Amino acid sequence: MTCGGCSGAVERVLKRLDGVKSYDVKLDSQTADVVTAEALDYDTVLKTIKKTGKAVNSGEADGEPKSVDG
């Protein structure tokens, strides 16, 4: 995410994803913190973000590093 359009794309898909309680997309650090309902799994969030065409370089769920190859 190198521009406002990039972060906006990620925000838009997270906003529409059922089960997302909150999110904070930070352009300056190129990160997205996402809080979800228990029923929404990491892989679904990852795939949704990847559909925007943005690169995902690292992931974490419940404090544990996760694969971004999903």
Side-chain angles (χ1 to χ4, degrees):
M1 296 184 302
T2 57
C3 68
C6 297
S7 60
V10 173
E11 288 177 350
R12 283 189 296 279
V13 296
L14 291 174
K15 183 181 195 178
R16 290 182 293 191
L17 184 59
D18 286 335
V20 172
K21 292 182 176 182
S22 66
Y23 57 87
D24 185 16
V25 179
K26 299 178 188 114
L27 182 58
D28 58 338
S29 60
Q30 297 187 13
T31 61
D33 296 322
V34 183
V35 177
T36 67
E38 203 169 308
L40 182 58
D41 66 2
Y42 170 83
D43 288 329
T44 301
V45 175
L46 177 65
K47 288 175 186 173
T48 300
I49 292 172
K50 283 185 167 188
K51 283 182 183 177
T52 67
K54 309 307 167 214
V56 178
N57 298 318
S58 64
E60 183 179 300
D62 298 323
E64 298 291 324
K66 298 289 243 176
S67 171
V68 295
D69 297 328

